[in-house]
Amino acid sequence: MTKPNTEFPDFGLTPEQRRHAVRGHYYEWPGMDGERGEIWCYSDRFSYRAGETVALHVSSTAPTFGMTITRDGGSETKVFEKSGIAARWQESPDQCSAEGCGWEASFEFRVENDWSSGAYRVTLTADGRDGKPIQCHHLFIVSPQPGRKPGRVLQVAATGTWLAYNTWGGSNHYQGITGPDRNQYSPIVSTQRPWCRGFVVLPKDAPRVPLEVAVPPKTVPRYPHMEWALATGHSKKYASSGWASYDSHFFRFAEQAGYGVDLVSQHDLHFLPEILDGYDCAVFVGHDEYWTWEMRDAVDNYVERGGHAARFAGNFMWQTRLEDEARRQVCYKYRSRAEDPAYLPGGDVTRATNSWEAPEIGRPGSATFGLNATRGVYTGWGGCAPRGVRGFPVYRPEHWAFAGTGIYYGDLLGADSHVYGYEVDGLDFEIRGGLPYPTATSGAPDGLQVLAVGMASQVEESADIPIEDQFLTDEDGRFTAETLFGEASDANLEKVKRGNGMIVNFPRGKGEVFHAGSCEWVAGLLRQDPMVERVTKNVLDRYLGKS
């Protein structure tokens, strides 16, 4: 028997640096590389169609740079290369993460007609002041042309969540340099800034969030992904969001498995909901936490009309709003009831940027995808089930999604590749005759079947670990208690702190939804787990009419 690894990886940090890696606020900002020099860029939009022009906004300490553009799919295809492009240093406002950088466009190019839909990685390279190259990476999406696309999958990139976690410039929806003491997260984040380091490309050995260490008893929680980020100069949030950690793994898997797959942003969904109508199957993957009302409308209406939505993703949590022609995303989150203008007289409280489960919004997350984050959320990291199951415990192995897997009642699906974590979506449920059913008050859509369910937690609880060594504590649990039951009391915390993660399936109107509610489902595709691949193919084939 192989002895499990009980040692945390060592990235060369001191104990003080390890603590700063988790609790400190570090981020990318113009000028951070000092004498070496640096180059940054962003595009004016997230996505473009063939024939449209991409405007790149570049700030560089070098007077010229070279650029390559590569389609990042089942195989990598270079579509553009140019050297000697003129650049200059462009100053950025202090609050550029909220206001946008405001740089002038440095270079424009046309999306050619033969650039197929997908993600396109832009690599900018220039000479640093020390003679060594400086580099940055950007990403834009080529969206498909409208029209019927039989047999093709449409993947929707989680751009709302990318925006929320982007640390470039100092502020996002988690930490920041806003407020009177420059220590608050920003309820407003701008699209007009570069992506942080690690959102576009990552080395293969970059740690994922769920722990791969067999944690010994009474161990103070460690977060290897954040330690690695600090040690290697990547964003603290690289493993929480972005193309490189999440969306890319499904897209590559699908193309390599022979599926035709197109890509759009969530922002495309917001403004062009009819884009879904060309497809029999729409897919949502990874960490997919932030949605607008209009994005949900697009999915709900699509499924009602006969579409099939497959969500291999976790943490369906926050409503957002888009402002300034979608150049700004608004989400007040925990401060919503105190600060969001939607709560002021004359405001539309249904559009409040709070949890979807806030009763005043009147649109629980389970109404769209069958599950929600407030009955999820954390597992396999920190003090939240650190020794818990790494796969989904299966209850209904006879379901069509599990055909050909050889799985039995009580087996764990995806445990070898650790697909269960680090944030999961669930429902209030009960066990009858050894099978899980949603409770009458769970908000589950009619006809929902629970196929698999595992445990999760909204709080870190340990009598053996001092609270100052806990990262999450019970703050999220108390927020959920206040959101659902009006008060963050101990009694209400007891009602919400024990969560779960599920795989569910249900019909709606003429269509159908399948939801494997875990951020880490893509880890099973990345690590080529045969069972996870088979379930994924079963869902795609059914929804494309191939089975």
Side-chain angles (χ1 to χ4, degrees), residues 343-399:
Y343 285 93
L344 294 174
D348 183 356
V349 75
T350 66
R351 300 301 196 273
T353 58
N354 203 332
S355 164
W356 285 112
E357 273 57 60
E360 61 270 25
I361 292 176
R363 195 177 190 182
S366 57
T368 293
F369 287 119
L371 305 173
N372 63 65
T374 53
R375 289 299 183 185
V377 74
Y378 305 112
T379 180
W381 72 302
C384 296
R387 302 172 193 87
V389 295
R390 298 182 172 206
F392 279 100
V394 172
Y395 281 85
R396 288 183 167 89
E398 71 283 356
H399 189 269

Side-chain angles (χ1 to χ4, degrees), residues 54-58 65 67 80 82 85-86 105-109:
V54 181
L56 278 189
H57 302 253
V58 180
F65 65 92
M67 182 174 81
F80 184 91
K82 187 175 176 64
I85 305 170
S106 308
F107 184 70
E108 295 185 347
F109 59 90

Side-chain angles (χ1 to χ4, degrees), residues 187 318-321 330-337 340-343 348-356 361:
W318 302 106
Q319 174 164 227
T320 64
R321 297 193 301 270
V330 180
C331 194
Y332 284 86
K333 297 179 66 172
Y334 307 106
R335 309 192 323 240
S336 182
R337 284 176 176 165
D340 191 338
Y343 285 93
D348 183 356
V349 75
T350 66
R351 300 301 196 273
T353 58
N354 203 332
S355 164
W356 285 112
I361 292 176

Side-chain angles (χ1 to χ4, degrees), residues 364-433:
S366 57
T368 293
F369 287 119
L371 305 173
N372 63 65
T374 53
R375 289 299 183 185
V377 74
Y378 305 112
T379 180
W381 72 302
C384 296
R387 302 172 193 87
V389 295
R390 298 182 172 206
F392 279 100
V394 172
Y395 281 85
R396 288 183 167 89
E398 71 283 356
H399 189 269
W400 57 260
F402 302 133
T405 62
I407 207 162
Y408 290 84
Y409 174 86
D411 280 356
L412 295 178
L413 170 66
D416 292 343
S417 54
H418 207 158
V419 303
Y420 188 72
Y422 71 103
E423 294 178 340
V424 295
D425 287 338
L427 278 178
D428 198 27
F429 73 100
E430 58 193 9
I431 297 287
R432 300 199 305 268

Side-chain angles (χ1 to χ4, degrees), residues 80-113:
F80 184 91
E81 188 167 22
K82 187 175 176 64
S83 59
I85 305 170
R88 63 183 176 87
W89 186 254
Q90 304 202 54
E91 295 298 328
S92 308
D94 173 64
Q95 296 295 323
C96 57
S97 41
E99 300 169 5
C101 290
W103 301 341
E104 293 181 359
S106 308
F107 184 70
E108 295 185 347
F109 59 90
R110 182 179 182 273
V111 176
E112 299 298 338
N113 291 331

